[in-house]
């Protein structure tokens, strides 16, 4: 895992709070794992309320995002995320701007 701002800033907060003799509370926004989608085949894919689409690990480099299908590159994290999904699981897209629900699990690599 690559460190972010929290790992850089938190020790500084603690250091300067101690130097100033202040008690400082720190709240971190800890996101869960993220689905990292692959490349678009052509134009952006429009998602409409009620649409049913496939969501899965790309079979190869030519298996790109297209209407009705969202793909992700095969990585250890992405494979584990898809494998762990069950019918009823809610997936957030674009940091929660869109929400989709798993209605069918075809395999450990396809929803």
């Amino acid at each position: 895992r690559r460190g972010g701002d929290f790992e850089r800033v938190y020790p500084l907060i603690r250091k300067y709070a101690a130097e100033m003799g202040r008690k400082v509370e720190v709240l971190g926004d800890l996101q869960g794992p993220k689905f990292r989608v692959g490349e678009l085949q052509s134009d952006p894919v429009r998602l409409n309320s009620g649409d049913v689409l496939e969501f899965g690990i790309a079979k190869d480099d030519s298996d790109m995002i297209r209407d009705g299908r969202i793909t992700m590159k095969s990585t250890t994290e992405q494979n584990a995320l898809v494998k762990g999904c069950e019918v009823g699981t809610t997936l957030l897209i674009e940091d929660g701007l869109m929400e989709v629900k798993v209605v069918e699990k075809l395999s450990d690599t396809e929803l």
Side-chain angles (χ1 to χ4, degrees), residues 49-88:
S49 182
D51 283 354
V52 175
L53 54 108
E54 297 173 3
F55 197 87
I57 303 297
K59 294 172 178 65
D60 55 42
D61 288 342
S62 66
D63 189 10
M64 296 182 179
I65 296 172
R66 59 184 182 279
D67 283 337
R69 180 163 172 77
I70 295 177
T71 59
M72 299 172 294
K73 293 195 181 240
S74 179
T75 66
T76 301
E77 182 179 34
Q78 301 307 307
N79 291 333
L81 287 170
V82 173
K83 185 177 183 177
C85 285
E86 300 174 351
V87 172

Side-chain angles (χ1 to χ4, degrees), residues 37-48 51-54 64-71 93-94 98:
V37 298
E39 299 295 322
L40 289 169
Q41 185 174 27
S42 57
D43 295 329
V45 174
R46 184 172 195 83
L47 299 178
N48 300 301
D51 283 354
V52 175
L53 54 108
E54 297 173 3
M64 296 182 179
I65 296 172
R66 59 184 182 279
D67 283 337
R69 180 163 172 77
I70 295 177
T71 59
I93 300 175
E94 288 294 318
M98 294 175 278

Side-chain angles (χ1 to χ4, degrees), residues 14-29:
R14 288 287 157 244
K15 175 185 174 188
Y16 292 115
E19 285 178 10
M20 297 172 67
R22 302 281 183 140
K23 179 179 179 183
V24 176
E25 301 295 333
V26 178
L27 174 66
D29 180 12

